[in-house]
Amino acid sequence: MTGVVVDGRTLSYAEVVAVAHHDAQVVLADEVLPRLERDRAVVDDIVDRQVPTYGLTTGLGTRSSYALPRDELDAFSVRTVRGRANAVGAPLPVPVVRAALLARVNGIAGGGSGVRPTIPRLLVAMLNARVHPVIPEVGSIGASDLCQMAHVGLVVIGEGSAEFAGEVHDGTAALRRAGLAPAELGPRDGHVLCSASPLAAGQGALALHEAAAVLTLAQAVTALTYEGFRANTSPLDPRVLDLRPSPGQSRAAGELLALLDGGELGDPRHARRVQDPVSLRCSAQVHGALHAALDFADDALHPELNGCGDNPVVLADTGEILSSGNFHTPALALAFDTLALALTQTAAISAERMRRLLDPAVSGLPANLSPYGPERSGFAPLAKTAQALVAEIRMLSAPVSTDPRHGADAVEDDSTNAALGARRLTAMLTRLRQLLAVEAVVAAQAVDLAEPSALGRGPRLLHHAIRAIVPRLDDDRPCGVDVEVVNRDILGSDDVRSALRALVGGAS
């Protein structure tokens, strides 16, 4: 993808990824600037008539009852940015910053903010020139990402810090080196730069895109384990699942069968056992729940990514500016929490499937998948790594949307922690992919020892890719490096992901 057209209505997760990770250029759709000019005309009219309007002709938060002098409105906009740039901690990664900038531009492009059109034009220019404001990682409580997005506002006015060409400069220097100039803020502009939840939306879009890919990887690795274990596929039979149509399970089962197509296991008579352990037998139920959690998160995130999260909002058709609660994100925070729990369930059964492969009493394979007997450790120590990864994932799955709410003098008395909910998903997905790499390495060895006459298309693809870079385990050797290379070069490969998506596409 070479370019992303931003219209405020149709931004996709794939486009966020293209801008965040692949430096796709951003262009405002033709209808955006005229839309923003109509909204801005309403703002100018309200200012001229001195109509009491929150954050425009009055103060913010607990000072919303104070009228602002007309000649103070520009300065108040600048003070709004400076006074809210209070985030702390390590800088957010550049892809996250880019995703947040794109989400804010798209939110503005749809209308309702009343910002000067020069502001989104500068944000687009910063994205295209790769000027990245330094945004500390901690500061949002989910009632707008105020204290973090204000750091973007600082760079817009030539203050703060920004990364450009691999070096961090002050805001003015970074803009100047990119051939850009700071903007002058008018009434309302400072508040718009800080408003809405673009960090939650941008990082959430990156997380959901990756989570969907990791789910496909989990399905493929599970199919590889099925082959090594010689699992019974009768629990995947549509006739069985239709008797209790739990959300997502039929889709997950269909994908597993599609991956196994071409091998022997499509016929349950080739299974080793009449009934397998739950971690194999119920993979479709657990992965189906993750499908359902992703659907829930998509329903919550898409309006946030393609909607106006400002307060107040401008209604150009009637010339009004109305108070809004659109900045509040409880559904999004709940969706991120739900997704985190679903990822944890997926992680837990991955570790258990891997352990079942090591147990000769259950798998019928040599103990710990070592062909040389008890004087070798085989993959037994790797089970500890798997359990450590599950522990980290479980720790990160704690709900954040239920934290206590602290208000500003009893006015701002509820929050959601949506941005935190999105940020921890990134760490969870990193650990889950490592865990799936552990299972994949072990499952490939199980396939070698089980020697099935034919593998399904998905397991065959994975097994071939693994054996191209990781030899089977004979004598004991360090296996952590094998896991890392499988994680990086196979589970992280765009080509492998695309091939697996193609295999499950018809079933989805």
Coordinates of all heavy atoms in Angstrom, one line a residue, residues 226 231-244 249-250 252-254 256-257 265-266 268 271 273-278 280-285:
Y226 N -2.2 -31.3 16.3 CA -3.1 -32.4 16.0 C -2.4 -33.5 15.2 O -2.6 -34.7 15.5 CB -4.3 -31.8 15.2 CG -5.5 -31.3 15.9 CD1 -5.3 -30.6 17.1 CD2 -6.8 -31.6 15.5 CE1 -6.4 -30.1 17.8 CE2 -7.9 -31.1 16.1 CZ -7.7 -30.4 17.3 OH -8.8 -29.9 18.0
A231 N -4.7 -36.4 16.7 CA -5.9 -36.1 17.4 C -7.2 -36.5 16.7 O -7.2 -36.7 15.5 CB -5.9 -34.5 17.6
N232 N -8.2 -36.6 17.5 CA -9.5 -37.0 17.0 C -10.2 -35.7 16.6 O -10.4 -34.8 17.4 CB -10.3 -37.7 18.2 CG -11.6 -38.3 17.7 OD1 -12.3 -37.8 16.8 ND2 -11.9 -39.5 18.2
T233 N -10.7 -35.7 15.4 CA -11.3 -34.4 14.9 C -12.8 -34.5 14.9 O -13.5 -33.6 14.4 CB -10.9 -34.2 13.4 OG1 -11.2 -35.3 12.6 CG2 -9.4 -33.9 13.3
S234 N -13.4 -35.5 15.5 CA -14.9 -35.6 15.6 C -15.5 -34.4 16.3 O -16.6 -34.0 16.0 CB -15.4 -36.9 16.2 OG -14.9 -37.0 17.5
P235 N -14.8 -33.8 17.4 CA -15.4 -32.6 18.0 C -15.5 -31.4 17.1 O -16.2 -30.4 17.4 CB -14.4 -32.3 19.1 CG -13.8 -33.6 19.5 CD -13.6 -34.3 18.1
L236 N -14.8 -31.5 15.9 CA -14.9 -30.4 14.9 C -16.1 -30.6 13.9 O -16.3 -29.7 13.1 CB -13.6 -30.3 14.1 CG -12.3 -30.1 15.0 CD1 -11.1 -30.0 14.1 CD2 -12.4 -28.9 15.9
D237 N -16.8 -31.7 14.0 CA -17.8 -32.0 13.1 C -19.0 -31.0 13.2 O -19.4 -30.7 14.3 CB -18.4 -33.4 13.4 CG -19.3 -33.9 12.3 OD1 -20.2 -33.2 11.9 OD2 -19.1 -35.1 11.9
P238 N -19.4 -30.3 12.1 CA -20.5 -29.3 12.2 C -21.7 -29.9 12.9 O -22.4 -29.1 13.6 CB -20.7 -29.0 10.8 CG -19.5 -29.3 10.0 CD -18.9 -30.5 10.7
R239 N -22.0 -31.1 12.7 CA -23.2 -31.7 13.3 C -23.1 -31.7 14.9 O -24.1 -31.5 15.6 CB -23.4 -33.1 12.8 CG -23.7 -33.2 11.3 CD -23.7 -34.7 10.9 NE -22.3 -35.3 11.1 CZ -22.0 -36.5 10.9 NH1 -23.0 -37.4 10.5 NH2 -20.8 -37.0 11.1
V240 N -21.9 -31.8 15.4 CA -21.7 -31.8 16.8 C -21.9 -30.3 17.3 O -22.6 -30.0 18.3 CB -20.3 -32.3 17.2 CG1 -20.0 -32.1 18.7 CG2 -20.2 -33.8 16.8
L241 N -21.2 -29.4 16.6 CA -21.2 -28.0 17.0 C -22.6 -27.4 16.9 O -22.9 -26.5 17.7 CB -20.2 -27.2 16.2 CG -18.7 -27.7 16.3 CD1 -17.8 -27.0 15.4 CD2 -18.2 -27.6 17.8
D242 N -23.4 -27.8 15.9 CA -24.7 -27.2 15.7 C -25.6 -27.5 16.9 O -26.6 -26.8 17.1 CB -25.3 -27.6 14.4 CG -24.7 -27.0 13.2 OD1 -23.9 -26.0 13.4 OD2 -24.9 -27.5 12.1
L243 N -25.3 -28.5 17.7 CA -26.2 -28.8 18.8 C -26.0 -27.8 20.0 O -26.9 -27.7 20.8 CB -25.8 -30.2 19.4 CG -26.2 -31.4 18.4 CD1 -25.6 -32.7 18.9 CD2 -27.7 -31.4 18.2
R244 N -24.9 -27.0 19.9 CA -24.7 -25.9 20.9 C -23.9 -24.9 20.2 O -22.7 -24.8 20.4 CB -24.1 -26.4 22.2 CG -24.2 -25.4 23.3 CD -22.9 -25.4 24.2 NE -21.7 -25.0 23.5 CZ -20.5 -24.9 24.1 NH1 -20.4 -25.0 25.4 NH2 -19.5 -24.6 23.4
Q249 N -17.3 -20.8 17.6 CA -16.7 -22.1 17.6 C -16.8 -22.8 16.2 O -15.9 -23.5 15.8 CB -17.4 -23.0 18.7 CG -18.8 -23.4 18.4 CD -19.3 -24.4 19.5 OE1 -18.7 -24.6 20.5 NE2 -20.5 -24.9 19.3
S250 N -17.9 -22.6 15.5 CA -18.1 -23.2 14.2 C -17.0 -22.6 13.2 O -16.5 -23.3 12.4 CB -19.5 -23.0 13.7 OG -20.4 -23.8 14.4
A252 N -14.1 -21.4 14.1 CA -12.8 -21.9 14.5 C -12.6 -23.3 14.0 O -11.6 -23.8 13.5 CB -12.6 -21.8 16.0
A253 N -13.7 -24.1 14.2 CA -13.6 -25.5 13.8 C -13.4 -25.7 12.3 O -12.7 -26.5 11.8 CB -14.9 -26.3 14.2
G254 N -14.2 -24.8 11.5 CA -14.0 -24.9 10.1 C -12.6 -24.5 9.6 O -12.1 -25.1 8.7
L256 N -9.8 -25.0 11.4 CA -9.0 -26.1 11.7 C -9.1 -27.2 10.7 O -8.1 -27.8 10.3 CB -9.3 -26.6 13.1 CG -8.7 -25.8 14.3 CD1 -9.4 -26.3 15.6 CD2 -7.2 -25.9 14.4
L257 N -10.3 -27.5 10.3 CA -10.5 -28.6 9.3 C -9.9 -28.2 8.0 O -9.4 -29.0 7.2 CB -12.0 -28.9 9.2 CG -12.7 -29.6 10.3 CD1 -14.2 -29.7 10.1 CD2 -12.1 -31.0 10.5
L265 N -6.3 -36.8 9.1 CA -7.1 -36.6 10.3 C -8.5 -36.1 10.1 O -9.3 -36.1 11.0 CB -6.4 -35.6 11.3 CG -5.1 -36.1 11.9 CD1 -4.5 -35.0 12.8 CD2 -5.2 -37.4 12.6
G266 N -8.8 -35.7 8.8 CA -10.2 -35.4 8.5 C -11.1 -36.5 8.8 O -12.3 -36.3 9.0
P268 N -12.0 -39.2 11.5 CA -11.7 -39.5 12.9 C -11.2 -40.9 13.1 O -10.6 -41.2 14.2 CB -13.0 -39.2 13.6 CG -13.7 -38.2 12.7 CD -13.3 -38.6 11.3
A271 N -7.6 -41.3 14.2 CA -7.1 -40.8 15.5 C -6.6 -41.9 16.4 O -7.0 -43.1 16.3 CB -8.3 -40.1 16.2
R273 N -6.9 -41.9 19.7 CA -7.8 -42.1 20.9 C -9.2 -41.8 20.5 O -9.5 -41.0 19.6 CB -7.3 -41.1 22.0 CG -5.9 -41.2 22.4 CD -5.4 -40.0 23.2 NE -6.2 -39.8 24.4 CZ -5.9 -40.3 25.6 NH1 -4.7 -40.9 25.8 NH2 -6.6 -40.1 26.7
V274 N -10.1 -42.3 21.3 CA -11.5 -42.0 21.1 C -11.8 -40.6 21.6 O -12.6 -39.9 21.0 CB -12.4 -43.0 21.9 CG1 -13.9 -42.6 21.8 CG2 -12.2 -44.4 21.3
Q275 N -11.1 -40.2 22.7 CA -11.4 -38.9 23.3 C -10.0 -38.3 23.8 O -9.3 -38.9 24.6 CB -12.4 -38.9 24.5 CG -12.6 -37.6 25.1 CD -14.0 -37.5 25.7 OE1 -15.0 -37.4 25.0 NE2 -14.0 -37.6 27.1
D276 N -9.8 -37.1 23.3 CA -8.5 -36.4 23.6 C -8.6 -35.5 24.8 O -9.7 -35.2 25.2 CB -8.0 -35.6 22.4 CG -7.7 -36.4 21.2 OD1 -7.2 -37.6 21.4 OD2 -7.9 -36.0 20.1
P277 N -7.5 -35.1 25.4 CA -7.5 -34.1 26.4 C -8.3 -32.8 26.0 O -8.3 -32.5 24.8 CB -6.1 -33.8 26.7 CG -5.3 -35.0 26.3 CD -6.1 -35.5 25.1
V278 N -8.8 -32.0 26.9 CA -9.6 -30.9 26.6 C -8.8 -29.8 25.8 O -9.4 -29.2 24.9 CB -10.1 -30.2 28.0 CG1 -10.7 -28.9 27.7 CG2 -11.1 -31.2 28.6
L280 N -6.9 -30.2 23.5 CA -7.0 -30.5 22.0 C -8.5 -30.6 21.6 O -8.9 -30.0 20.6 CB -6.3 -31.8 21.7 CG -4.8 -31.8 21.6 CD1 -4.2 -32.2 23.0 CD2 -4.2 -32.6 20.5
R281 N -9.3 -31.3 22.4 CA -10.6 -31.5 22.0 C -11.5 -30.3 22.0 O -12.4 -30.1 21.1 CB -11.3 -32.5 23.1 CG -12.6 -33.0 22.7 CD -13.2 -33.9 23.8 NE -12.3 -34.2 24.9 CZ -12.7 -34.2 26.2 NH1 -14.0 -33.9 26.5 NH2 -11.9 -34.5 27.2
C282 N -11.1 -29.3 22.8 CA -11.9 -28.0 22.8 C -11.2 -26.8 22.3 O -11.5 -25.7 22.6 CB -12.4 -27.8 24.3 SG -13.4 -29.1 25.0
S283 N -10.2 -27.0 21.4 CA -9.5 -25.9 20.8 C -10.5 -25.0 20.0 O -10.4 -23.8 20.0 CB -8.4 -26.4 19.8 OG -7.4 -27.0 20.6
A284 N -11.5 -25.6 19.3 CA -12.4 -24.8 18.6 C -13.2 -23.9 19.5 O -13.6 -22.8 19.1 CB -13.3 -25.7 17.7
Q285 N -13.6 -24.4 20.7 CA -14.4 -23.6 21.6 C -13.6 -22.4 22.1 O -14.1 -21.3 22.2 CB -14.9 -24.4 22.8 CG -16.1 -25.3 22.5 CD -15.7 -26.5 21.6 OE1 -14.6 -27.0 21.6 NE2 -16.7 -27.0 20.8

